Amino acid sequence: MKIIENQILTELHLSDLQNNETGVITKVIGHGAFRKRITEMGFVKGKFVKVIKNAPLQDPIEYEILGFRVSLRRSEAALIEVVPADLLAVGTESNFEGTITDDFIEQVIAEKTRTINIALVGNPNSGKTTLFNHATGKHEHVGNYGGVTVDSKEAYLKQDGYTINITDLPGTYSISEYSPEELFVRRHISENMPDVVVNVIDASNLERNLFLTSQLMDMNIKVVIALNMFDELESKGNKLDYDNLGKIIGIPIVTTVASKGEGIKALFSKVIDVYENRDSVSRHAHINYGTNVEESVKKIKAAIKKNKQISDLFYPRYAALKLIENDKSFAAQIAEFPESEEILSVAKKEIANLEKEYKEKAETIIADAKYGFISGVLKETFEQKLVNRRYTSHAIDVILTHKFLGFPVFIFFLWLMFQLTFSLGSYPMDWIDAGVGALGNLVTNILPAGSLRDLIVDGIIGGVGGVIIFLPNILILFFCISLMEDTGYMARAAFIMDKLMHKIGLHGKSFIPLIMGFGCNVPAVMATRTLENRKDRILTMLILPFMSCSARLPVYVLLISAFFPNNQGFVLLSIYIIGIALAILVALLFKRIFFAKQDVPFVMELPPYRIPTLRNTSVHMWNKSLQYLSKMGTVILTASILIWALGYFPRDVKYSKDYNSIREQISADASLSGKAKADHLAQVNVHQESERLENSYIGKLGHMIVPLIQPLGWDWKIGVSIITGLAAKEIVVGSMGVLYQSDMSADETSMNLRNKLQQQTFTSGPRIGEKVFTPLVAYSLMLFILVYFPCVATIAAIKKEANMKWAAFTMVYTTVLAWLVAFIAYQAGSIF
């Protein structure tokens, strides 16, 4: 027998089958009363079920199973996974005679039931994503502060004959309603119903981490605890009887050290045991919230059980507790169901009774009870050594978060990062530059003269090669940012910046997306989800483009190394500081124009300092290099070819001079030496090529925008490079490589782009013959690159996280502001 794998393994639900179709049940998801009721009716794995008909309004649906008829709502049928019987028939050999052997059915069911869907849930900074990376081989970015995982990530692994699909959910302290992450995690667990939830706990902070565990207990789902960073707990001399703790709370616990890959195989073996219901510890344990609360839970549960749609989707006790907590988002979700008015009415009445009795808000009553339960189980199972377990972190913080020393230390770290970017990056940068030049010369010698050689040498090698040489600088920048994140210093930076952030209308936590923006604006925009307030999220997105991402770095490195060789680190730091200053000014302006005053408390964990592992830092750096290299082969390659083509055509240019006659005259001039003739001929070639380029399609485009860029001191080639940089900022360098390459004479082809920029002169206009690039022009150009139009990917991210209105506004206002900043810098610099 054979299985058509991609068909058999396609996930189908009973609700997907059409009238008269038959399926074999492979899995029943859901929980509690629904699962018990559906199982008692015969809906268990391996049973055939046939669709008889849909009701006139397509809901409910009548099925036949075990010889009798039963109707299920479509929502209930959606919780039963099946394999269509006709696919099973096709999957057998050609001698199929209308029956399917039991062995084959068992094979297919085994294939389906040995697929386990799990979700990783845990507090920020608990090591959840590190565990995900080690388990699956994925290389997501790991940082030692909250909010790194800003979206869910999926991967799978195979172990002991099982396929385990893993979803890494955003880090969250609870599953309440206070942030998008909390709602996302809660909805994923409720609606996707993973077979097992792996709750990753930081062993060095048990009490706070177990609060989320207590909420998972309320949901009556299968949970396995990964007690992560267990080595830190033991190194501090603390003792935890985790076996006994697991028995008390009904959740098996496996110790792990995710950063070293320890305990991960044992963790997933335990997941398999819990999935197969063969773990003796796994059970549903209730938290006793006290007589009054339990009486209220009982009353609300009774109302919920009357509504099968709600009780099938949510465990009734969990739903009752969420309503008592006065969770507005959950209440709104319940209100969407028909006949839910009684439930909400009972809940409202019980909340009023409890708050009158306890003289506290209902959510505080539940939270206090949870922490009381956690405190009780830890007294029985946890023995803490009486020392300050974070003494080292506190000692370091005396300096790094000091009232007066904190800012100078932070600025020093930024300066050091930028100085290393140049000093260390210059060596491999020169090697790559030499390699690109050698490759260009090799291709020039191998290929005959013509369009193909020009395309490869000037378009592809000149364009892409001009950008790829900056890869070492970008790697060093990302390495430094990763170090700050992995050690825990990034959270301290947010701490010392909170007051400044608050004064410009932002939350201190906004500083983390802003710092991430130095690496790439796209994940930084996504990281704004960690901000609870929508106003903070949008305002942070609007000023994020002023954080110089790594895509702008090649432009800075090119211009600074060419025109500011003696103060490279300082000049680069000044660009970044100006970006931050502009972000502050714009935030103050937008706060007054768009956003009403709405403060949000600054609540953020300061994680203990940790020594970063070389693996995590290297993986982060390598992933960013892959992203950069992938741009080389896609966006930048395409743009370089397009720019080359626009500059190469048309070929039938009418020149203002007869350059061939001029060359003949020079060759025939007996008064000139051989070297003088060569120099004169080279100069003629440069003038002819410059005139040809000005009459090409890209030259015409450049001259169209000259009135806009002339006040900035630019020539048309800079204008064209700016236009091409709308897609990705690295393309600015690629464009310059293509546009300025052709201006060089034959004996100058080995000169790098920096030298070529230094020699550029205006070929038309009032400044003809003058140098195009001066330190002032270079600096104003860097300021323009800093501010103008974020790349297309960033705009798409803003559109996704906010809406198209804010994305369009960002495009327009940044470009207008960029022109104003560059104009002021150039004109003021020209005066002084």
Side-chain angles (χ1 to χ4, degrees), residues 478-655:
F478 274 113
F479 182 83
C480 294
I481 290 176
S482 182
L483 279 180
M484 286 200 291
E485 293 170 348
D486 295 348
T487 56
Y489 179 67
M490 195 71 84
R492 271 73 184 179
F495 171 76
I496 65 175
M497 292 294 292
D498 176 62
K499 188 169 185 179
L500 177 60
M501 293 286 107
H502 184 71
K503 285 188 177 297
I504 65 173
L506 286 174
H507 193 279
K509 285 169 71 175
S510 296
F511 190 67
I512 288 177
L514 293 177
I515 287 291
M516 289 179 69
F518 289 140
C520 180
N521 285 171
V522 176
V525 169
M526 295 173 64
T528 59
R529 295 181 197 174
T530 58
L531 303 170
E532 290 82 0
N533 184 276
R534 177 172 169 79
K535 182 264 301 185
D536 289 333
R537 291 198 295 273
I538 293 177
L539 186 52
T540 304
M541 285 181 219
L542 290 178
I543 64 173
L544 258 172
F546 299 124
M547 303 300 111
S548 281
C549 65
S550 60
R552 296 177 174 98
L553 189 60
V555 187
Y556 301 155
V557 173
L558 172 66
L559 296 174
I560 291 173
S561 58
F563 300 102
F564 303 95
N566 298 323
N567 299 289
Q568 294 182 343
F570 176 76
V571 172
L572 183 59
L573 179 60
S574 72
I575 294 292
Y576 281 74
I577 289 176
I578 289 173
I580 295 170
L582 282 171
I584 292 170
L585 293 174
V586 170
L588 287 168
L589 178 65
F590 287 172
K591 184 179 110 174
R592 293 179 179 275
I593 297 175
F594 298 120
F595 305 106
K597 183 73 174 172
Q598 188 177 359
D599 286 338
V600 177
F602 180 74
V603 181
M604 181 180 176
E605 179 190 3
L606 293 179
Y609 288 103
R610 291 195 171 97
I611 298 174
T613 63
L614 183 61
R615 179 185 185 276
N616 282 343
T617 306
S618 301
V619 161
H620 181 209
M621 188 174 66
W622 173 245
N623 285 343
K624 292 303 176 184
S625 69
L626 287 180
Q627 291 178 20
Y628 188 71
L629 291 171
S630 68
K631 271 189 179 181
M632 299 298 105
T634 53
V635 178
I636 294 172
L637 174 62
T638 304
S640 296
I641 293 173
L642 178 62
I643 294 162
W644 171 85
L646 290 173
Y648 193 76
F649 297 103
R651 302 301 292 172
D652 54 341
V653 174
K654 292 183 179 180
Y655 293 105

Side-chain angles (χ1 to χ4, degrees), residues 91-113:
T92 59
E93 297 291 351
S94 58
N95 62 353
F96 173 67
E97 297 177 352
T99 61
I100 306 171
T101 66
D102 290 340
D103 288 344
F104 185 71
I105 294 174
E106 288 297 325
Q107 181 184 347
V108 174
I109 292 173
E111 189 76 28
K112 290 289 287 182
T113 56

Side-chain angles (χ1 to χ4, degrees), residues 45 53 101 110 144 165 226 262 424 470 504 595 665:
K45 65 182 181 182
K53 63 177 180 290
T101 66
N144 189 18
N165 298 318
E262 295 176 6
L424 290 182
F470 300 102
I504 65 173
F595 305 106
Q665 291 174 10

Side-chain angles (χ1 to χ4, degrees), residues 521 541-542 544-549 551-552 556 631 714 721-732 781-798 804 806-820:
N521 285 171
M541 285 181 219
L542 290 178
L544 258 172
F546 299 124
M547 303 300 111
S548 281
C549 65
R552 296 177 174 98
Y556 301 155
K631 271 189 179 181
W714 300 351
S721 300
I722 290 296
I723 292 174
T724 59
L726 297 177
K729 295 300 175 285
E730 302 99 326
I731 299 177
V732 172
L781 177 56
M782 286 190 286
L783 291 178
F784 190 93
I785 297 290
L786 164 72
V787 180
Y788 93 115
F789 196 101
C791 71
V792 173
T794 301
I795 292 297
I798 294 174
M804 190 60 217
W806 290 115
F809 175 73
T810 304
M811 288 187 276
V812 174
Y813 101 83
T814 53
T815 305
V816 172
L817 181 61
W819 190 93
L820 289 172

Side-chain angles (χ1 to χ4, degrees), residues 153-201:
K153 300 172 179 68
E154 297 178 356
Y156 75 94
L157 63 87
K158 291 184 178 291
Q159 182 170 317
D160 301 333
Y162 288 81
T163 299
I164 303 176
N165 298 318
I166 306 175
T167 302
D168 180 22
L169 295 175
T172 179
Y173 294 106
S174 73
I175 43 176
S176 301
E177 61 167 346
Y178 301 112
S179 73
E181 276 69 30
E182 294 175 354
L183 292 174
F184 183 89
V185 171
R186 188 169 80 192
R187 283 186 176 271
H188 180 90
I189 296 173
S190 299
E191 297 172 9
N192 294 67
M193 295 187 182
D195 298 313
V196 180
V197 169
V198 174
N199 179 203
V200 183
I201 287 179

Side-chain angles (χ1 to χ4, degrees), residues 28-44 72 76 79-80 220 305 308 311-312 315:
V28 178
I29 54 181
H31 46 67
F34 165 76
R35 191 181 184 94
K36 184 174 184 295
R37 174 165 54 88
I38 212 78
T39 303
E40 290 172 348
M41 294 167 65
F43 287 86
V44 294
L72 295 178
E76 296 173 327
L79 298 175
I80 301 171
N220 188 19
K305 287 182 177 180
K308 292 297 181 187
S311 62
D312 286 349
Y315 181 56

